[in-house]
Amino acid sequence: KTHYEYAIVFLIVLIIFLINYTPSTYLMGWDNLQTDLNPALGIKRSFQGVWQEYQSFGLTSGLAHTADLLRSVFIWIISFALPSNLIRYFYHFLMVLVGGLGMLPLLKTILDGKNKTFALLGAFFYIFNYGTVQIFYLPWESFSTFFAFLPWGLWVFIKLLENIDKKKYWMLFFAINLLATPSFYIQTIFLVYMLILMCVAIGYCLETRSIKVLKNSFLIISAILLLNSFWILPQIYSFITRAEIIASAKNNLL
């Protein structure tokens, strides 16, 4: 009874899954990562993501393949429990659930915990708006993961701005932002994430007119950059040395 709103979101997503899942089929489509077909190979390709041996004659990666490492490991773990055709269905619907659940603490924090009903309505909007339908109608792992962890990332960012000295929130911060790294397979999504956090930070700075809040914002964003450096640094190298590869790719020329 204390956390009824979380149970409602779970039941709603379960109903969505049951309506949309087609038994004995694979969820496949344009531009997807089929790690579920060979999870061990997916881990290898992510771990060695800077150089893509299997593409053409081999090339320096133009996308952040390394960022997908944690998701590949997760897929490998659940492959021992689920049949291969169900794994990708499970992952994308899990991301719907995680995103919906994440909106509840985020909105309750913004509303000072005063109204669970408005938080629940906000979670419903996040799950059912047309933007979400567009993302999951033709799902791709990077977008689905970002949908899931954006509310959690915003929530823990706000909590840290307000409680920078609390170890609990720092631990949650590192866990959430590490789990969110598969979102940044497409690097520009990371720029979107940074811009959103900066907008929140600027709002807090203007409201509080506090130098401490500005310093806290800089510290947290620096920690996010450090946490994502395992895929950012290879991408900087690739951009400096091999940017012309993407421009000269046959699909871009066409």
Side-chain angles (χ1 to χ4, degrees):
K1 290 181 179 179
T2 307
H3 302 292
Y4 69 88
E5 68 274 21
Y6 292 91
I8 291 173
V9 170
F10 175 80
L11 289 173
I12 289 294
V13 175
L14 180 62
I15 291 169
I16 296 171
F17 171 76
L18 293 174
I19 291 172
N20 288 277
Y21 172 61
T22 306
S24 302
T25 63
Y26 284 84
L27 178 61
M28 303 177 76
W30 172 80
D31 207 6
N32 48 199
L33 296 171
Q34 297 294 158
T35 312
D36 47 293
L37 300 181
N38 193 334
L41 181 61
I43 294 174
K44 179 183 177 182
R45 287 178 173 175
S46 297
F47 193 75
Q48 301 175 346
V50 179
W51 177 260
Q52 296 300 298
E53 184 68 31
Y54 67 98
Q55 293 186 357
S56 183
F57 297 106
L59 77 164
T60 306
S61 173
L63 291 170
H65 295 268
T66 310
D68 199 48
L69 180 59
L70 280 179
R71 192 194 67 85
S72 299
V73 171
F74 176 71
I75 295 298
W76 176 73
I77 292 170
I78 64 173
S79 68
F80 292 101
L82 296 176
S84 61
N85 67 299
L86 187 57
I87 291 173
R88 196 160 184 263
Y89 275 110
F90 175 80
Y91 182 81
H92 287 290
F93 281 105
L94 178 64
M95 294 300 99
V96 177
L97 176 62
V98 172
L101 293 176
M103 284 300 290
L104 295 172
L106 173 62
L107 292 173
K108 282 192 284 186
T109 297
I110 294 170
L111 297 166
D112 295 324
K114 294 177 181 177
N115 200 315
K116 291 183 179 182
T117 302
F118 278 117
L120 186 59
L121 290 173
F124 283 169
F125 176 77
Y126 192 58
I127 293 171
F128 288 111
N129 74 84
Y130 284 124
T132 304
V133 174
Q134 182 184 21
I135 290 170
F136 287 97
Y137 184 77
L138 196 64
W140 197 53
E141 285 69 9
S142 181
F143 298 124
S144 298
T145 307
F146 187 58
F147 173 89
F149 287 100
L150 177 60
W152 290 104
L154 284 168
W155 170 75
V156 79
F157 183 74
I158 292 170
K159 285 294 185 183
L160 268 183
L161 282 178
E162 298 172 346
N163 308 275
I164 196 69
D165 298 322
K166 288 196 175 182
K167 186 186 291 186
K168 176 180 73 172
Y169 290 123
W170 275 110
M171 291 174 66
L172 286 169
F173 166 81
F174 282 111
I176 289 168
N177 281 279
L178 195 60
L179 290 171
T181 53
S183 307
F184 311 130
Y185 192 101
I186 301 176
Q187 310 93 312
T188 46
I189 293 180
F190 183 72
L191 297 179
V192 171
Y193 182 48
M194 288 292 97
L195 287 170
I196 293 171
L197 294 185
M198 287 177 185
C199 286
V200 174
I202 290 169
Y204 263 80
C205 290
L206 292 174
E207 182 182 5
T208 60
R209 300 181 184 275
S210 169
I211 296 296
K212 184 181 178 182
V213 172
L214 184 63
K215 290 180 179 178
N216 291 349
S217 302
F218 180 78
L219 178 62
I220 298 167
I221 289 173
S222 297
I224 293 173
L225 291 170
L226 182 63
L227 197 64
N228 286 272
S229 60
F230 74 96
W231 66 264
I232 291 176
L233 293 176
Q235 285 304 292
I236 292 173
Y237 170 80
S238 176
F239 179 77
I240 293 172
T241 62
R242 297 288 187 271
E244 73 280 359
I245 290 177
I246 297 175
S248 60
K250 291 292 184 277
N251 60 333
N252 287 333
L253 292 174
L254 289 170

